[in-house]
Amino acid sequence: MESTLGGLISDRPHQAMSRAVVKTALYRVLMVFVSVAVAYLVVGDVSAALSIGLATNVVKTVTYYGYERLWDRIAWGV
């Protein structure tokens, strides 16, 4: 396995892209439920809570996937 920066960054991922996609999707489903529940406790309206929970989680899903793929190339601690 090739690496750069003193072995901290790998040029190859440690897991398949499909695994990262499945992990991301399942984590985000869980977080949708958490976000909607918290939003409902704050706003007290189911429709608003669903809107908040879904919108924030679309953004968070894309962000998490990118973050996961970035960290998958860092060899430190593996």
Side-chain angles (χ1 to χ4, degrees):
M1 178 183 307
E2 297 291 321
S3 63
T4 59
L5 294 177
L8 288 178
I9 299 177
S10 171
D11 66 347
R12 301 168 116 193
H14 294 47
Q15 63 183 337
M17 187 181 297
S18 58
R19 176 182 162 89
V21 169
V22 169
K23 282 174 53 181
T24 299
L26 293 175
Y27 179 78
R28 291 318 320 160
V29 167
L30 175 63
M31 290 301 101
V32 166
F33 288 115
V34 171
S35 296
V36 170
V38 170
Y40 179 73
L41 291 173
V42 172
V43 299
D45 177 41
V46 174
S47 179
L50 285 170
S51 294
I52 292 167
L54 293 174
T56 60
N57 279 283
V58 167
V59 172
K60 289 177 182 180
T61 299
V62 174
T63 304
Y64 177 79
Y65 177 78
Y67 185 77
E68 177 75 16
R69 297 306 291 169
L70 174 66
W71 267 100
D72 196 41
R73 293 189 178 272
I74 298 174
W76 172 75
V78 188

